[in-house]
Amino acid sequence: QVQLVESGGGLVQPGGSLRVSCAASRDIFSINYMGWYRQPPGKERELVARISRSGVTQYTDSVKGRFTISRDNAKNTVSLQMNNLEREDTAVYYCNADAMTSQSMGVYVEVWGQGTLVTVSS
């Protein structure tokens, strides 16, 4: 089954740190960009950060200097280290990949994880 599986969400106090990770299933065998999106309560989903196969990164302005995205191409994993968390970072975080899969017939498609909840609260 083609999937991305997130882990590492949870409850953290403001100013704290949390790391979320994502692993691709074996059916995903070529990945261009990997990234993290988030959807705060009552708001639309937004890009948080993404990283290319060569390691070029992109961040939304509100997380620059606080979040760091990294990936392991050999393992098809991506992680997001979140430091100095703020209440506004509370959201469901989704892993995303631009990937070729066993079902995509040679075409790169978007694959999404199921989401992991990050709550920043005292």
Side-chain angles (χ1 to χ4, degrees):
Q1 182 178 359
V2 175
Q3 59 180 350
L4 297 171
V5 180
E6 299 105 334
S7 61
L11 174 65
V12 63
Q13 293 185 343
S17 297
L18 202 62
R19 185 179 182 90
V20 290
S21 297
C22 170
S25 65
R26 292 184 178 182
D27 300 89
I28 299 174
F29 45 80
S30 180
I31 303 177
N32 285 329
Y33 282 93
M34 298 189 81
W36 290 93
Y37 286 70
R38 68 185 178 187
Q39 187 165 16
K43 297 185 178 181
E44 294 187 354
R45 192 175 298 188
E46 62 177 0
L47 174 66
V48 177
R50 67 174 185 170
I51 183 168
S52 71
R53 193 200 309 263
S54 62
V56 177
T57 58
Q58 176 185 351
Y59 297 92
T60 192
D61 286 346
S62 62
V63 308
K64 286 179 180 177
R66 300 189 297 122
F67 291 11
T68 302
I69 190 170
S70 60
R71 67 185 282 179
D72 184 329
N73 290 333
K75 297 180 179 179
N76 276 349
T77 60
V78 63
S79 296
L80 186 69
Q81 177 66 40
M82 302 181 288
N83 297 328
N84 194 20
L85 282 158
E86 304 170 353
R87 288 181 173 82
E88 292 73 23
D89 296 316
T90 295
V92 177
Y93 284 71
Y94 296 91
C95 181
N96 170 268
D98 177 42
M100 191 181 300
T101 77
S102 61
Q103 300 174 5
S104 68
M105 301 179 67
V107 177
Y108 281 87
V109 296
E110 267 199 315
V111 184
W112 292 91
Q114 80 285 355
T116 185
L117 178 62
V118 172
T119 303
V120 184
S121 175
S122 54

